[in-house]
């Protein structure tokens, strides 16, 4: 099945996405720099661009930058004057991301902040950086429950929240994964989203080039 998912992803990408030398180079740079190949797929990236556009977001927060591949997609959905703040723990990842963002012509649009998100999120709040219009949560999965709380704190009614990787090849429902702190983080995150009095949510499973996974989507009431 996985092979067909990949072939279908390639077909869809060929049919729907314009050729993009910058994005291809970013992925090549990320691999050359030794970053793990866990960027969103090209089609998922285009989905992030669309979400940013249809929500009319002007201020976007991303938690988990890696090499900035998803960041570029988010930034491309912004109107003129829009901004992305993206949080990354690994200095090497942040450095690669800054280079990629510069190459994509987005150095002035995106701010990369280095540090553990649980340290940099309170700084953003103190600075009055919010409210953000869209928040993409994609850092360490065990941190998702706390990132959710911060995302809501930095939101306004209408803010869109997106959580990546909430299915984890079915790990979500696999008893053998009960001890995995990342799977536990995702389960707690989903339960907290569902129980949250200010969130209306859904989740969509995905298959494709990156295997079997899913996005959680929520809007702040
Ligand atoms: N959004 C990226 C992929 C992010 S991968 C894309 O789709 O292109 C997850 C990233 O989160 C990694 O770069 C990892 O270093 C970072 N990360 C892990 N723990 C973190 C933390 N506590 N705070 C901020 N970033 C963290
Ligand atoms: C992992 C992290 C991601 O953000 C992702 O999209 C895929 C996998 C991981 O840590 O395994
Ligand atoms: Mg991810």
């Amino acid at each position: 099945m996985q092979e067909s998912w990949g072939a279908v992803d390639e077909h869809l990408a060929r049919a729907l996405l314009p050729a993009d030398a910058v994005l291809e180079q970013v992925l090549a740079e990320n691999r050359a720099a030794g970053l793990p190949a866990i960027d969103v797929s090209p089609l998922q990236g285009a989905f992030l661009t669309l979400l940013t556009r249809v929500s009319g977001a002007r201020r976007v927060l991303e938690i988990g930058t890696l090499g900035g591949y998803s960041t570029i997609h988010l930034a491309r959905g912004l109107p003129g004057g829009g901004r992305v703040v993206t949080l990354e723990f690994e200095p090497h990842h942040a450095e690669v991301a800054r280079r990629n963002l510069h190459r994509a012509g987005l150095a002035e649009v995106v701010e990369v902040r280095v540090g553990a998100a649980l340290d940099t999120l309170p700084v953003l709040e103190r600075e009055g950086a919010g409210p953000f219009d869209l928040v993409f949560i994609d850092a360490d999965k065990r941190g998702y429950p706390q990132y959710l709380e911060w995302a809501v704190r930095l939101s306004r009614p209408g803010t869109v929240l997106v959580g990546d990787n909430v299915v984890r090849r079915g790990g979500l429902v696999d008893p053998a994964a009960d001890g995995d702190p990342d799977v536990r983080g995702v389960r707690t995150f989903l339960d907290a989203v569902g129980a949250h009095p200010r969130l209306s949510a859904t989740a969509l499973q995905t298959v494709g080039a990156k295997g079997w996974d899913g996005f959680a989507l929520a809007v702040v009431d």
Side-chain angles (χ1 to χ4, degrees):
M1 281 307 277
Q2 170 106 39
E3 232 170 74
S4 320
W5 299 343
V8 169
D9 245 26
E10 273 173 38
H11 182 103
L12 294 173
R14 214 170 27 248
L16 301 175
L17 306 181
D20 194 315
V22 170
L23 288 175
E24 278 168 32
Q25 198 183 350
V26 166
L27 288 181
E29 293 284 339
N30 290 354
R31 298 302 82 80
L35 272 49
I38 55 176
D39 335 68
V40 292
S41 73
L43 289 156
Q44 290 168 350
F47 176 67
L48 293 176
T49 304
L50 281 172
L51 269 185
T52 307
R53 274 187 70 183
V54 300
S55 65
R58 303 184 65 87
R59 281 196 274 200
V60 172
L61 172 63
E62 177 178 62
I63 307 175
T65 314
L66 192 65
Y69 186 74
S70 55
T71 321
I72 291 170
H73 285 95
L74 291 164
R76 286 181 171 180
L78 293 170
R83 301 267 293 159
V84 180
V85 178
T86 184
L87 309 181
E88 174 54 51
F89 176 67
E90 293 287 345
H92 176 55
H93 296 182
E95 182 191 316
V96 173
R98 287 197 180 108
R99 216 163 48 225
N100 285 331
L101 289 159
H102 181 79
R103 191 175 294 110
L106 293 166
E108 307 298 315
V109 174
V110 179
E111 184 189 351
V112 183
R113 294 207 179 188
V114 182
L118 288 179
D119 294 330
T120 52
L121 286 161
V123 176
L124 283 178
E125 185 179 53
R126 279 201 294 279
E127 289 174 358
F132 292 94
D133 307 310
L134 186 147
V135 183
F136 180 50
I137 300 175
D138 194 23
D140 56 305
K141 311 312 163 195
R142 62 197 74 187
Y144 272 33
Q146 282 172 289
Y147 302 149
L148 175 68
E149 284 177 29
W150 278 104
V152 173
R153 275 173 83 148
L154 294 167
S155 291
R156 53 154 177 91
T159 293
V160 178
L161 307 184
V162 184
D164 196 21
N165 312 117
V166 298
V167 175
R168 317 272 302 166
R169 292 172 201 268
L172 180 64
V173 296
D174 181 359
D178 284 357
D180 179 337
D182 291 324
V183 170
R184 292 164 75 107
V186 167
R187 288 179 187 160
T188 304
F189 167 82
L190 288 170
D191 289 344
V193 170
H196 202 292
R198 286 187 61 204
L199 295 176
S200 304
T202 188
L204 296 173
Q205 298 191 65
T206 56
V207 294
K210 314 278 308 289
W212 174 27
D213 216 320
F215 287 105
L217 298 164
V219 63
V220 180
D221 295 320

